[in-house]
Structure formats: structure tokens, C-alpha cells
Amino acid sequence: MNPFSSPGRVAAEVKPRVLIVDDEPAIRELLVMTLRRMNIDCLEAETLEQALARLQAASSKNAEPIHLCLTDMRLPDGSGMEVIRFIQQSCPGVPVAMITAHGNMEMAIEALKAGAFDFLNKPIELPVLRTLVTSALRLQEPVLPAQGPQLLGVSQAMEQLRRTAGKLARSQAPVYLSGESGTGKERVARLIHHLGPRADQPFIAVNCGAIPADLVESELFGHRKGSFTGAMQNKAGLFQAAQGGTLFLDEVADLPLEMQVKLLRAIQEKAVRPVGAQQEEAVDVRILSASHQDLAEQVQRGRFREDLFYRIHVIQLHLPPLRERTDDIPILTDHFITKLCAEMQIPPLSLTTAARQALATWPYPGNVRELENILERALTLCEGSVLDVGDLYLQRSVKTATPASMAQAFDFDQVQALGLEAYLEALECEILREGLKRAEQNKTAAARLLGISFRTLRYRLKKLGLEN
């Protein structure tokens, strides 16, 4: 479908125009033939000089605009990177895709970092080309108000985060979301998806740390009937489920090393091979990923592949902890109280000045998620119509610990009586039980609260005899 067509006015529809920059006549001819069959007008340029002249002319007043640029990396008188930089400076509303030699991911990543919408590998696969062009042209459609994820807050950090998310939505570049647990990484990922050309396609989120190691490949790529014990029928993976949309890999640092190799190939080749299948299947998904761990540090420790790190880390977006944007606490507090009261079907409760002051000064090691949990607990246990400081039970929340404060807290006489190993095991049991209690026995949520992976939690529970 031509995104520029107007219902009821087919004869007068405005065709999109694409600038093709390549010094190989055969490549230009292939691209022109394909795009014209999509009812798209084409302009051609053989050199960097010609390309910049056409872009300059199209940006002048009353000129017919260019809606997309496809440029080769190598040009007789320069580089496609210069085309990207010119577009970013002079006509930033025009998406540009880089055409690179097959396997030259370094150039593709450089182009994405410079602001390219996406990239194409030579030899060009026509289905991939059509998908890319359709997605890019949809950026030119008018943005209609729609209900979607919101980032609440008035702080400068949140204003900047909203602006950055809007810019990232216009690209297909992989984005890595960093930040502490509870800062809202999945919400930001959903916002980037919602603001982009894939908004009406699936958004699939997966917690990589919650999938057992022996099932990760099947979950991500799918499997064929009989490929392993228990595979009773064909099953599509999460990549296939996200076809045309966005795949959000949360806690990506928890993926096993052997799976990281296969994920890297899937991202680079834009294709996956289901377990037990002979052929790869083409997939069109945008990859967003996140982790509360320091991914660069994991690379240095040999726990995360460096090549995959650079592939998913094309653009990093850091989410600030709640303690660094305290201006947002009152807004978030009112939002959660309104939401929770509606869910509990109770009249809206108000907070005393002292309670608001206590919330404003709390360090929130668990960030926004902790604020919501504090308020949910308070609303559940409060018997009146007003929440006071005592209703918040802040003294029972986990406080930010320092080595000095921890050293003062332990009982050395018990260490001597039990021995260090037994004492540490008893302490770990107590911490794990408390984590499960706070998460209402949900192990995935407990692992998140404790800042460890789901597999690590299961291992420790089993080791300490706490596994149900």
C-alpha cells in the first residue's frame, strides 16, 4: 500500500520520491524497477556531488521533496557516510539507508550511529528492500494521537528521555537500554516502538534470564516437530512472533554464551533457523535490548561476546534512577495511588504532608517499581482514608547498604559459633526467603528484586534446599 495515497482520490495521489545513489548502473536499474512497481518515483545519482546537488535542490522552497534516500557506501568521489551527514544537517526528516557489501557489519553499524534509518546488504534481496522502503516511507505519514505508553515526570532527565525516544523511533538501529532495576526500561522500549513506523505491528518482550538455558534457542527461533523430546508440533519462536514489529530482549546479559553466537547471526543475517529445520526463515524485526548489569564489564569478564555487544549496542540510552529525578516523585505517587485505588475498587486516598516528605526523601534502591510496591502495600494495609508516614512501612524496605554498614550489622559471635560458611548460608537463606515473600513467591519477580538472574536464583534455592 502506498502510504502517500488519499482515500477516494487515487487519481490525484502524491507519489513518494526516492533518491538512489550508486555508481553501478545495474544496481540502480534493479532498484528503480523494483520501486516503480511499488508506485514510487525515483531520482538517480552516480556520484556524491550529484547526490548532494539533488538533495539541496529538493530542500529548496516549492521543490518536490525527497522522501527516502538509498545510498551505496563507496562512491567515485566520496563516501555514502557523507550523504548521511549532509541529510542529518540539511534535511533531517529524510530517512536514509546505506547499501553495504555483504558481511561488512562495521560499516553498517557506523552508518546507523551516524543517523541512517537502516542498511541493505549486497546482493540486494528484493523482499528485504520492499520491507525497508515501506517502513521508511511510513515515517512520512501524519502522526495521529493514539493511546500508548507514557513517561511520567517533569524533571529535566525525563524531558530529555522523551525527546531521545522520539528521535530513536525514527530509526531501525538497535538500541541498548541501560539502568538499574525498576527504572522502566521496558516502558521506554514500548514507547520507542509506539512512536515508530512499526507501531501497528507486534511488540514482543522476553526476559532472557527467565528462560531455562536448554530452551532459549527454541523460544527465540522456534522448533520443528520431533526436533527434541517434547516437541510434539511445530512452534514459531519469538522472532517470528515479532515479525514486522519489535523484539525487546530484557536482561540480555543472562543469555548463555553459545546462544549469543546464534543471536548475533540472526541479527546480522535477518534470518533465523528453527531447531530441527534445514532452512533459515527471513525475519524483519527491530531489536531493542536491556540489562541492569554493566554489559561492557560483562564483555571484559568474558561473559558476553564482544561482537554481539557492538551489534546491539549501536545506540545506548541510559535511564536515570529515581533518586536522581526526585521532582517526579509527587507525580508518580499520585498516578500510582489513582491507578491502585481503581484496581482495588476503593475510594481515592490522600497522603499527609509528612508522608509525602518521607516519600520524597527515600533513596529508592528499587526505583519506580519500589515506589509502586510501597504504595500498594500501604493502600492494602491502611484502614483509614488518609495515608500517613506509619502506613508506608519504609523502615521495612530494603535500604541502600554500604560495606561499613553491613560490617556493623552482622553478629560475629554467631560467625564463630557456626563457622563462616554455615553463617553465610543461613544469611543467604534468610535473604532468599524474604525476596520470595516480597515477590509473593513469584521467582521471576524475586530474582529481579534481588538483582540476580532467574537461573541464579533457582540454582541457589536448590543448593540451599529451598526449592519447592
mmCIF file of all heavy atoms in Angstrom, residues 177-193:
data_model
loop_
_atom_site.group_PDB
_atom_site.id
_atom_site.type_symbol
_atom_site.label_atom_id
_atom_site.label_comp_id
_atom_site.label_asym_id
_atom_site.label_seq_id
_atom_site.Cartn_x
_atom_site.Cartn_y
_atom_site.Cartn_z
ATOM 1 N N LEU A 177 19.173 -0.321 26.239
ATOM 2 C CA LEU A 177 18.675 0.465 27.358
ATOM 3 C C LEU A 177 19.391 0.016 28.629
ATOM 4 O O LEU A 177 19.302 -1.149 29.016
ATOM 5 C CB LEU A 177 17.164 0.271 27.517
ATOM 6 C CG LEU A 177 16.324 0.638 26.282
ATOM 7 C CD1 LEU A 177 14.916 0.103 26.417
ATOM 8 C CD2 LEU A 177 16.305 2.130 26.090
ATOM 9 N N SER A 178 20.099 0.936 29.251
ATOM 10 C CA SER A 178 20.822 0.610 30.474
ATOM 11 C C SER A 178 20.192 1.336 31.651
ATOM 12 O O SER A 178 19.504 2.347 31.484
ATOM 13 C CB SER A 178 22.299 0.991 30.345
ATOM 14 O OG SER A 178 22.432 2.397 30.168
ATOM 15 N N GLY A 179 20.431 0.813 32.825
ATOM 16 C CA GLY A 179 19.872 1.430 34.016
ATOM 17 C C GLY A 179 19.600 0.392 35.082
ATOM 18 O O GLY A 179 19.556 -0.804 34.810
ATOM 19 N N GLU A 180 19.392 0.864 36.304
ATOM 20 C CA GLU A 180 19.138 -0.036 37.414
ATOM 21 C C GLU A 180 17.779 -0.724 37.264
ATOM 22 O O GLU A 180 16.918 -0.277 36.505
ATOM 23 C CB GLU A 180 19.165 0.757 38.726
ATOM 24 C CG GLU A 180 20.497 1.418 39.026
ATOM 25 C CD GLU A 180 20.442 2.291 40.263
ATOM 26 O OE1 GLU A 180 19.411 2.286 40.960
ATOM 27 O OE2 GLU A 180 21.431 2.996 40.535
ATOM 28 N N SER A 181 17.593 -1.808 38.006
ATOM 29 C CA SER A 181 16.306 -2.498 38.014
ATOM 30 C C SER A 181 15.222 -1.548 38.507
ATOM 31 O O SER A 181 15.435 -0.774 39.449
ATOM 32 C CB SER A 181 16.365 -3.726 38.934
ATOM 33 O OG SER A 181 17.219 -4.704 38.405
ATOM 34 N N GLY A 182 14.075 -1.597 37.839
ATOM 35 C CA GLY A 182 12.950 -0.781 38.269
ATOM 36 C C GLY A 182 12.890 0.603 37.691
ATOM 37 O O GLY A 182 12.013 1.401 38.059
ATOM 38 N N THR A 183 13.799 0.942 36.750
ATOM 39 C CA THR A 183 13.791 2.293 36.184
ATOM 40 C C THR A 183 12.829 2.432 35.006
ATOM 41 O O THR A 183 12.626 3.543 34.511
ATOM 42 C CB THR A 183 15.205 2.712 35.736
ATOM 43 O OG1 THR A 183 15.784 1.664 34.942
ATOM 44 C CG2 THR A 183 16.096 2.971 36.933
ATOM 45 N N GLY A 184 12.266 1.333 34.524
ATOM 46 C CA GLY A 184 11.262 1.421 33.459
ATOM 47 C C GLY A 184 11.800 1.170 32.067
ATOM 48 O O GLY A 184 11.327 1.774 31.093
ATOM 49 N N LYS A 185 12.752 0.263 31.930
ATOM 50 C CA LYS A 185 13.368 0.023 30.614
ATOM 51 C C LYS A 185 12.367 -0.544 29.610
ATOM 52 O O LYS A 185 12.367 -0.147 28.438
ATOM 53 C CB LYS A 185 14.569 -0.912 30.781
ATOM 54 C CG LYS A 185 15.726 -0.261 31.552
ATOM 55 C CD LYS A 185 16.953 -1.123 31.618
ATOM 56 C CE LYS A 185 16.818 -2.257 32.592
ATOM 57 N NZ LYS A 185 16.739 -1.821 34.007
ATOM 58 N N GLU A 186 11.506 -1.452 30.051
ATOM 59 C CA GLU A 186 10.516 -1.995 29.109
ATOM 60 C C GLU A 186 9.514 -0.925 28.679
ATOM 61 O O GLU A 186 9.103 -0.874 27.515
ATOM 62 C CB GLU A 186 9.774 -3.186 29.715
ATOM 63 C CG GLU A 186 8.762 -3.789 28.741
ATOM 64 C CD GLU A 186 8.094 -5.049 29.252
ATOM 65 O OE1 GLU A 186 8.673 -5.727 30.137
ATOM 66 O OE2 GLU A 186 6.981 -5.367 28.774
ATOM 67 N N ARG A 187 9.142 -0.048 29.588
ATOM 68 C CA ARG A 187 8.198 1.026 29.238
ATOM 69 C C ARG A 187 8.808 1.943 28.172
ATOM 70 O O ARG A 187 8.121 2.352 27.229
ATOM 71 C CB ARG A 187 7.814 1.826 30.480
ATOM 72 C CG ARG A 187 6.914 3.023 30.202
ATOM 73 C CD ARG A 187 6.380 3.604 31.472
ATOM 74 N NE ARG A 187 5.348 2.746 32.036
ATOM 75 C CZ ARG A 187 4.052 2.831 31.745
ATOM 76 N NH1 ARG A 187 3.626 3.736 30.887
ATOM 77 N NH2 ARG A 187 3.183 2.021 32.304
ATOM 78 N N VAL A 188 10.085 2.267 28.314
ATOM 79 C CA VAL A 188 10.745 3.114 27.321
ATOM 80 C C VAL A 188 10.842 2.379 25.985
ATOM 81 O O VAL A 188 10.637 2.972 24.919
ATOM 82 C CB VAL A 188 12.149 3.531 27.808
ATOM 83 C CG1 VAL A 188 12.897 4.284 26.712
ATOM 84 C CG2 VAL A 188 12.033 4.405 29.053
ATOM 85 N N ALA A 189 11.126 1.081 26.029
ATOM 86 C CA ALA A 189 11.178 0.286 24.799
ATOM 87 C C ALA A 189 9.819 0.302 24.095
ATOM 88 O O ALA A 189 9.735 0.440 22.868
ATOM 89 C CB ALA A 189 11.596 -1.147 25.107
ATOM 90 N N ARG A 190 8.750 0.169 24.868
ATOM 91 C CA ARG A 190 7.400 0.207 24.281
ATOM 92 C C ARG A 190 7.109 1.576 23.674
ATOM 93 O O ARG A 190 6.442 1.673 22.637
ATOM 94 C CB ARG A 190 6.348 -0.138 25.339
ATOM 95 C CG ARG A 190 6.338 -1.613 25.746
ATOM 96 C CD ARG A 190 5.225 -1.929 26.730
ATOM 97 N NE ARG A 190 5.235 -3.326 27.118
ATOM 98 C CZ ARG A 190 4.658 -4.300 26.420
ATOM 99 N NH1 ARG A 190 3.992 -3.996 25.300
ATOM 100 N NH2 ARG A 190 4.713 -5.551 26.826
ATOM 101 N N LEU A 191 7.593 2.627 24.323
ATOM 102 C CA LEU A 191 7.370 3.979 23.793
ATOM 103 C C LEU A 191 8.096 4.161 22.463
ATOM 104 O O LEU A 191 7.533 4.719 21.509
ATOM 105 C CB LEU A 191 7.847 5.027 24.802
ATOM 106 C CG LEU A 191 7.707 6.480 24.357
ATOM 107 C CD1 LEU A 191 6.241 6.841 24.159
ATOM 108 C CD2 LEU A 191 8.360 7.419 25.371
ATOM 109 N N ILE A 192 9.342 3.698 22.369
ATOM 110 C CA ILE A 192 10.091 3.796 21.115
ATOM 111 C C ILE A 192 9.352 3.048 20.005
ATOM 112 O O ILE A 192 9.226 3.545 18.882
ATOM 113 C CB ILE A 192 11.512 3.227 21.300
ATOM 114 C CG1 ILE A 192 12.321 4.132 22.235
ATOM 115 C CG2 ILE A 192 12.226 3.089 19.959
ATOM 116 C CD1 ILE A 192 13.665 3.571 22.633
ATOM 117 N N HIS A 193 8.841 1.875 20.329
ATOM 118 C CA HIS A 193 8.070 1.098 19.338
ATOM 119 C C HIS A 193 6.805 1.850 18.935
ATOM 120 O O HIS A 193 6.478 1.953 17.743
ATOM 121 C CB HIS A 193 7.715 -0.257 19.947
ATOM 122 C CG HIS A 193 6.717 -1.045 19.150
ATOM 123 N ND1 HIS A 193 7.050 -1.757 18.020
ATOM 124 C CD2 HIS A 193 5.368 -1.219 19.306
ATOM 125 C CE1 HIS A 193 5.972 -2.340 17.519
ATOM 126 N NE2 HIS A 193 4.944 -2.023 18.285
#
